[in-house]
Amino acid sequence: MILVSFKVLRFEDSRSSQSELEIGGIYTGEIDKNRVYFTDQAGDNWTFYINDTCELV
């Protein structure tokens, strides 16, 4: 997989209290087709959808 920078547009699931993710935040994740995969500091795995829940930057 390829690493990309992405911006969070919205969440489909609730975040744990230890998650650093924020709407508008820019993070680095792995892209596969139209999805970006990211594991936050709390160890939660996230899947973001390009042009839906995230955008590439």
Side-chain angles (χ1 to χ4, degrees), residues 13-54:
D13 297 318
S14 59
R15 298 175 298 143
S16 68
S17 61
Q18 298 173 341
S19 178
E20 78 276 20
L21 286 175
E22 294 186 17
I23 292 175
I26 296 175
Y27 306 95
T28 300
E30 296 180 333
I31 189 171
D32 181 33
K33 300 184 182 179
N34 69 330
R35 292 174 285 229
V36 177
Y37 299 99
F38 179 78
T39 302
D40 66 18
Q41 66 187 16
D44 296 329
N45 295 315
W46 291 86
T47 302
F48 293 95
Y49 297 91
I50 298 169
N51 298 323
D52 181 24
T53 55
C54 78

